[in-house]
Amino acid sequence: MGKKSIGIVIYANPDYYPPTVNAVHLLSQYFDIVLIGRNQDPPDREYPDNVKVYRLGEYTTVREREQISAKAKLWEYINFVARSRHLLKGVSLIYAYDPFGYIASCICQLRLGQKLPLVYQCHEISDRLAPLSSLTGLVQRAERAWIDKADVIIFPDKDRAIFFQQQAANLKKEPLIVPNFPLKAYFKISEDWNLLIEKRRSHITLFYRGSISDSSAMLESITAASFLDIDVNIKFVGFLTAPNAEKLIGWVEQMKMSDSFSYLGTLPYQDLQPLTLAATIGFALYKSTHFDRLACVTACNKIYEYAACGLPAIVSDFPNYRKYLSNETWVRFADPNNPESIASAIRDILSDFENYQTMCLAARKAFEERYNYESAFSPLHAKIDELIRYSK
């Protein structure tokens, strides 16, 4: 008898979301996977042989999709749901990501004529509803009305779960928290740690990976680096809009940091690990401009990707970050709005080389023992096994 199959539905490019990719890899060891997403931007992940990937719709970039009309977006979503229903025939469980994937899965369930176990994992959360006239507004309201249809609801952060419980009156089940930790199997490090740490000291690099904007303290980080009395390199990698790029480069020039700063573009996930390993300090600074930035201590995967590479990290000095990470010796806290606070955290990390070595090793140990996706996903894996075993 062959493996049972799981249908995974996300209304985006699944390659963008490390937790989704990690879950696919872990579940594919026990189940065949039907992975359904949209055909946007080039694929940059490889999946196991028993994972069938369906990228639906005509190929476009994310920016091109944002510019199409509301009517075109609605028809695209209707076509996505129709094709997903066909692809989900024969699966034993549906695992949906994001509100669009969840509502599509609910509709597919109705049209399939059978009650399949349904797991819903919400990556992001918004503190305000979009207009009802938009597809996003319709889907958000349907998500709240139909949330009780999910057998298991997952959030990557406790504060996001609490907020959603307060906003969605129909949520009776206690959500499961599965943090966005990296996959241990992916972050296998073969480098000599002593040699690697010595290289970091001789070539100090301040590193940021992720979406780049004012809310990620892009200008404050550059300013902080300009306050230091040592030579440093600053490297940013990630999505950057044209207006933010113009603003960032203008600020780099104004601060006379052009010779020290590099923007490396948007890179495939596998290309980020060598850059992270070679860095000296990782930035994970968010401003409190949006709720999802405040409710991000276990949803911010970059913090734990830094840990996986044995890299000390500077994070936002928010109360929930302090509560969760205050005992981690490889973490320093800074006010993301205050360049001097950021510079002070950098100086503290670099003040003593022996202590820096200890921080690096502590970060890697914390990842191996606590902050890896294998351990975080284990309770959900057990629930999925149970749902499939007892479903009709």
Side-chain angles (χ1 to χ4, degrees):
M1 184 176 178
K3 292 181 179 178
K4 291 189 175 182
S5 60
I6 291 176
I8 295 180
V9 183
I10 180 169
Y11 198 57
N13 182 347
D15 302 358
Y16 289 168
Y17 299 94
T20 303
V21 177
N22 294 344
V24 169
H25 278 269
L26 292 176
L27 289 171
S28 68
Q29 298 175 37
Y30 307 93
F31 306 98
D32 291 328
I33 305 293
V34 176
L35 177 58
I36 303 170
R38 283 200 291 174
N39 189 18
Q40 57 187 42
D41 286 345
D44 69 357
R45 294 297 192 107
E46 293 184 1
Y47 295 97
D49 292 340
N50 66 326
V51 178
K52 294 183 179 179
V53 184
Y54 298 91
R55 302 178 189 274
L56 305 185
E58 295 183 6
Y59 171 81
T60 60
T61 65
V62 174
R63 286 176 178 172
E64 288 171 338
R65 268 197 167 89
E66 289 174 348
Q67 295 169 357
I68 66 175
S69 68
K71 183 178 179 180
K73 289 178 180 178
L74 178 59
W75 276 110
E76 181 186 34
Y77 188 61
I78 291 171
N79 289 329
F80 179 89
V81 174
R83 293 189 63 187
S84 296
R85 179 175 67 88
H86 174 74
L87 294 170
L88 291 171
K89 290 180 179 177
V91 303
S92 299
L93 176 142
I94 301 175
Y95 189 160
Y97 286 91
D98 73 40
F100 291 89
Y102 177 62
I103 297 306
S105 299
C106 290
I107 297 171
C108 288
Q109 254 199 356
L110 293 172
R111 299 301 301 272
L112 287 169
Q114 63 180 122
K115 178 64 173 75
L116 292 172
L118 178 58
V119 174
Y120 175 37
Q121 180 160 345
C122 186
H123 276 309
E124 308 292 347
I125 193 167
S126 176
D127 55 355
R128 65 195 70 180
L129 293 174
L132 187 57
S133 57
S134 68
L135 176 61
T136 299
L138 287 170
V139 167
Q140 286 176 329
R141 287 163 175 82
E143 173 199 33
R144 295 186 179 189
W146 290 0
I147 192 64
D148 62 316
K149 295 184 182 299
D151 295 284
V152 182
I153 301 104
I154 306 118
F155 290 91
D157 185 272
K158 182 181 69 174
D159 293 323
R160 296 188 185 192
I162 293 171
F163 177 83
F164 192 88
Q165 283 179 296
Q166 294 170 346
Q167 298 296 313
N170 289 338
L171 180 54
K172 308 302 182 186
K173 302 178 181 71
E174 187 67 25
L176 185 67
I177 308 303
V178 180
N180 288 348
F181 297 157
L183 195 66
K184 190 187 294 186
Y186 183 83
F187 281 85
K188 293 180 178 178
I189 309 300
S190 59
E191 280 83 349
D192 180 306
W193 280 106
N194 291 327
L195 180 60
L196 178 64
I197 295 169
E198 181 62 42
K199 287 180 180 178
R200 290 177 177 177
R201 181 173 71 161
S202 61
H203 191 76
I204 296 173
T205 300
L206 310 178
F207 185 65
Y208 174 83
R209 54 190 285 177
S211 295
I212 303 164
S213 68
D214 280 330
S215 67
S216 64
M218 65 178 189
L219 303 186
E220 289 81 1
S221 298
I222 299 298
T223 307
S226 74
F227 290 167
L228 304 175
D229 56 2
I230 55 174
D231 292 331
V232 297
N233 295 282
I234 311 107
K235 294 183 179 180
F236 284 5
V237 180
F239 179 75
L240 179 64
T241 64
N244 279 330
E246 183 178 354
K247 188 175 184 179
L248 176 61
I249 297 306
W251 190 252
V252 167
E253 292 173 354
Q254 183 175 332
M255 300 304 295
K256 297 180 171 51
M257 296 295 288
S258 298
D259 292 339
S260 303
F261 177 76
S262 301
Y263 170 57
L264 305 180
T266 303
L267 299 177
Y269 191 74
Q270 62 266 23
D271 293 348
L272 295 176
Q273 185 166 315
L275 290 169
T276 310
L277 279 169
T280 311
I281 295 172
F283 287 143
L285 293 161
Y286 288 130
K287 298 180 182 180
S288 57
T289 52
H290 302 288
F291 174 77
D292 64 350
R293 293 294 180 255
L294 287 168
C296 202
V297 64
T298 60
C300 181
N301 47 291
K302 68 173 62 63
I303 295 174
Y304 309 99
E305 289 164 348
Y306 294 151
C309 292
L311 189 66
I314 301 176
V315 307
S316 297
D317 197 358
F318 299 149
N320 53 337
Y321 281 57
R322 283 267 185 187
K323 183 177 180 181
Y324 191 78
L325 293 169
S326 61
N327 292 326
E328 300 298 337
T329 59
W330 51 278
V331 173
R332 294 293 182 271
F333 300 91
D335 180 352
N337 295 290
N338 185 340
E340 183 52 55
S341 176
I342 300 170
S344 178
I346 296 169
R347 294 189 192 102
D348 184 33
I349 292 173
L350 299 177
S351 62
D352 182 275
F353 180 63
E354 287 188 6
N355 186 56
Y356 178 78
Q357 287 179 305
T358 301
M359 292 176 71
C360 294
L361 297 176
R364 177 64 187 186
K365 183 179 180 182
F367 162 69
E368 291 176 341
E369 294 181 352
R370 299 186 298 282
Y371 299 132
N372 61 80
Y373 205 71
E374 284 89 340
S375 59
F377 193 75
S378 180
L380 176 56
H381 192 175
K383 285 184 177 291
I384 289 173
D385 282 341
E386 182 181 356
L387 286 169
I388 292 178
R389 188 181 308 118
Y390 293 108
S391 66
K392 293 181 180 180

